[in-house]
């Protein structure tokens, strides 16, 4: 089905079609389709726009990536289906490695997702072989590549993933997450939470990385001074005010 651009929900329907194609290709798990629906509902409540505080979070995240010695972007099926090119672009501008890491894991899904990322321009994608274990939780995501997430000092975890986020933080890593739910375990546990739709957040994050590449260490460190709990409280307040205005 081709969605006409004149449709009032064009962007939303376009994204759904991308996710459906990802499911049919084997990259997206059925559970991932359901998770997207939950996220879309939260985006409605957010007003389908990037809050000002989330832009500040993205700037802090970009500065963190540029200061990191070994940043890694974790990718699952939903992320690959919706944002493969954006992931590759962010990887390039932030000098981050990419690793496929799945909750509903299989070698076949890993290969499909890695193929999607390579077709989008990625030269190297980790995650085909898992050699190291992240302690503290039991899902398949505990298995990771040593030269990827296990070795990273900063990990970007797009989309909700609470148990792994806590374990990564416990290992001393900085965790940047993109989560439409400011009340989730992931959002509350991460070092920096960008409360936004991933299709908006990744290009924004890449643009800030590109902008700040010329900044010196002191400038970046000033931007990194960021209170994530204040950020989340401001996002909740933004949602409350948006709902109040809708029924004023």
């Amino acid at each position: 089905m081709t969605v006409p651009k004149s449709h009032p929900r064009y962007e939303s329907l376009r994204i759904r079609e991308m996710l459906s194609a990802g499911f049919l290709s084997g990259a997206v798990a059925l559970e991932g389709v359901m998770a997207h629906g939950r996220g879309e509902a939260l985006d409605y409540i957010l007003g389908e726009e990037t809050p000002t505080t989330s832009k500040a979070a993205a700037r802090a995240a970009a500065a963190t990536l540029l200061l990191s010695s070994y940043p890694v972007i974790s990718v699952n099926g939903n992320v690959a289906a919706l944002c493969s090119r954006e992931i590759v672009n962010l990887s390039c501008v932030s000098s981050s490695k990419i690793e496929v890491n799945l909750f509903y894991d299989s070698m076949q899904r890993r290969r499909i997702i890695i193929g999607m990322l390579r077709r989008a321009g990625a030269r190297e994608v980790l995650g085909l072989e898992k050699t190291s274990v992240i302690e503290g939780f039991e899902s398949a995501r505990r298995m990771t590549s040593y030269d990827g997430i296990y070795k990273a000092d900063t990990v970007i975890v797009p989309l909700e993933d609470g148990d792994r986020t806590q374990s990564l933080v416990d290992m001393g890593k900085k965790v940047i997450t993109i989560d439409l739910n400011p009340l989730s375990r992931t959002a509350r546990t991460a070092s920096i939470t960008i409360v936004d739709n991933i299709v908006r957040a990744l290009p924004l994050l890449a643009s800030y990385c590109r902008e700040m590449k010329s900044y010196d260490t002191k400038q970046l460190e000033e931007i990194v001074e960021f209170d994530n709990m204040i950020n989340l409280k401001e996002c909740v307040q933004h949602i409350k005010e948006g709902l109040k205005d809708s029924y004023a």
Side-chain angles (χ1 to χ4, degrees):
M1 172 184 170
T2 301
V3 181
K5 291 188 177 181
S6 59
H7 194 287
R9 300 296 303 160
Y10 169 77
E11 184 63 15
S12 175
L13 293 170
R14 184 186 69 84
I15 291 170
R16 290 183 206 176
E17 284 197 348
M18 293 170 65
L19 198 70
S20 296
F23 173 71
L24 293 173
S25 75
V28 176
L30 178 60
E31 293 81 0
V33 177
M34 293 186 283
H36 175 79
R38 178 177 62 182
E40 187 174 59
L42 289 165
D43 203 15
Y44 283 6
I45 296 172
L46 198 65
E48 294 179 292
E49 63 180 13
T50 304
T52 300
T53 187
S54 296
K55 293 177 182 177
R59 282 182 59 81
T64 299
L65 288 173
L66 294 174
L67 286 170
S68 299
S69 59
Y70 206 92
V72 175
I73 306 170
S74 178
V75 176
N76 67 8
N78 284 38
V79 174
L82 298 178
C83 302
S84 283
R85 292 191 182 281
E86 290 79 4
I87 288 291
V88 174
N89 182 39
L90 178 60
S91 170
C92 291
V93 298
S94 64
S95 300
S96 300
K97 291 188 177 292
I98 302 171
E99 179 178 336
V100 173
N101 188 274
L102 306 174
F103 187 87
Y104 299 100
D105 188 33
S106 73
M107 184 63 74
Q108 182 181 10
R109 283 191 69 214
R110 287 186 223 168
R111 291 185 186 279
I112 292 169
I113 293 167
I114 288 171
M116 293 172 70
L117 291 163
R118 285 180 174 160
R119 287 192 295 276
R123 294 184 178 180
E124 178 188 30
V125 184
L126 303 169
L128 196 59
E129 300 298 329
K130 305 290 187 179
T131 57
S132 300
V133 180
I134 299 171
E135 302 293 344
F137 65 109
E138 298 181 358
S139 80
R141 301 192 103 167
R142 74 187 187 282
M143 302 303 300
T144 186
S145 296
Y146 175 79
D147 289 325
I149 293 167
Y150 191 84
K151 188 176 176 181
D153 60 342
T154 299
V155 184
I156 302 178
V157 181
L159 308 182
E160 190 171 340
D161 186 17
D163 55 352
R164 184 171 59 135
T165 299
Q166 182 64 66
S167 293
L168 292 171
V169 170
D170 290 344
M171 290 175 72
K173 302 180 189 297
K174 294 179 180 177
V175 178
I176 298 164
T177 192
I178 300 168
D179 194 336
L180 278 161
N181 181 4
L183 302 177
S184 75
R185 288 179 304 147
T186 311
R188 295 169 64 85
T189 305
S191 311
I192 300 173
T193 303
I194 304 170
V195 179
D196 200 7
N197 191 317
I198 191 170
V199 300
R200 294 191 298 265
L202 285 177
L204 181 65
L205 182 53
S207 70
Y208 283 142
C209 285
R210 194 175 296 108
E211 172 192 325
M212 292 190 282
K213 265 186 172 289
S214 61
Y215 288 17
D216 60 33
T217 299
K218 183 178 179 181
Q219 288 175 297
L220 293 172
E221 288 175 344
E222 289 174 354
I223 296 170
V224 167
E225 290 297 320
F226 180 82
D227 190 317
N228 199 45
M229 292 310 296
I230 291 176
N231 164 46
L232 295 177
K233 288 177 183 178
E234 289 180 353
C235 285
V236 171
Q237 187 61 33
H238 174 85
I239 290 170
K240 288 167 66 177
E241 290 174 359
L243 290 170
K244 182 179 177 182
D245 291 343
S246 296
Y247 292 96

